[in-house]
Amino acid sequence: MGRKSKLSERQWQEIGRRLLAGEKGRALAKEYGVSEAAIRARFSAQNAEIKSVANQIVATESALKSLPISAQIAAQDLAAQLRSISGHLAGAANFSAATAHRLAGIAHAKVQEIDDAAPFGEKSMEALKVVAVLTKTANEAGVLPTNLVAANKDMVRAANAGDAQEPGQLLAELVAHLPD
């Protein structure tokens, strides 16, 4: 772990904002009493990403404006639907994960009813059946959140590798990961 910065987080945010506004790192380094290298190390990748996203937004807005009005409306509606679907799927995945967790906890509690001295006795076998059903149901409830995490991981890996993906590709990847 590195040395504690002599600047507060608020000061670093101000430097970042001013860099994006076009001020030079050398002048900011002198003003704040830090090295220009420290500023570059903290902001170069982040600012490049911010500028890239800003350029994508401008390109998207330009492409949208080049469409006829009816197509602009259709594109906006489709984008809203994709955001809604993505939000609903994330919510469903969250509830599914919570359900899987709860069912696994109930199954774990039911395991306590198994008699280690007579694991194949009538009482133990009934408990084992309930544990099996609860575990299977918990595992099935965990499929959606697991696939959402896998799709997101794949997309992050692709983004980090520099493979730009079209908007909506996360949704397509998630749908591809869904069970039949």
Side-chain angles (χ1 to χ4, degrees):
M1 191 159 146
R3 210 171 14 144
K4 185 177 185 316
S5 173
K6 63 178 167 177
L7 299 181
S8 69
E9 192 56 38
R10 183 175 290 217
Q11 288 172 308
W12 280 114
Q13 288 173 358
E14 178 66 15
I15 290 172
R17 186 193 62 72
R18 290 172 65 183
L19 282 170
L20 284 171
E23 293 188 46
K24 300 293 180 200
R26 176 174 288 165
L28 292 169
K30 186 175 181 181
E31 179 181 336
Y32 284 91
V34 294
S35 71
E36 189 176 357
I39 291 176
R40 270 194 312 274
R42 187 160 183 138
F43 292 106
S44 63
Q46 178 184 3
N47 285 355
E49 181 67 17
I50 290 170
K51 288 176 182 178
S52 172
V53 169
N55 285 329
Q56 291 173 35
I57 291 170
V58 169
T60 300
E61 289 172 347
S62 177
L64 185 65
K65 287 178 184 176
S66 72
L67 295 173
I69 294 295
S70 61
Q72 288 181 31
I73 293 168
Q76 292 285 9
D77 288 346
L78 179 58
Q81 287 174 359
L82 290 172
R83 281 190 295 273
S84 176
I85 290 168
S86 180
H88 289 305
L89 282 172
N94 189 33
F95 287 131
S96 293
T99 299
H101 180 262
R102 176 111 192 261
L103 290 171
I106 294 168
H108 177 71
K110 195 71 175 169
V111 166
Q112 304 307 313
E113 296 177 17
I114 298 170
D115 183 356
D116 291 342
F120 299 109
E122 188 176 326
K123 183 180 173 192
S124 293
M125 288 306 288
E126 283 303 313
L128 281 169
K129 287 177 187 175
V130 172
V131 168
V133 169
L134 287 169
T135 301
K136 182 177 190 286
T137 307
N139 290 342
E140 289 171 358
V143 169
L144 177 62
T146 301
N147 288 339
L148 180 61
V149 169
N152 188 51
K153 187 173 152 184
D154 291 345
M155 189 162 172
V156 168
R157 188 178 297 124
N160 286 339
D163 299 335
Q165 295 188 353
E166 294 296 318
Q169 201 155 8
L170 174 60
L171 181 61
E173 286 189 30
L174 175 60
V175 170
H177 283 84
L178 291 176
D180 294 330

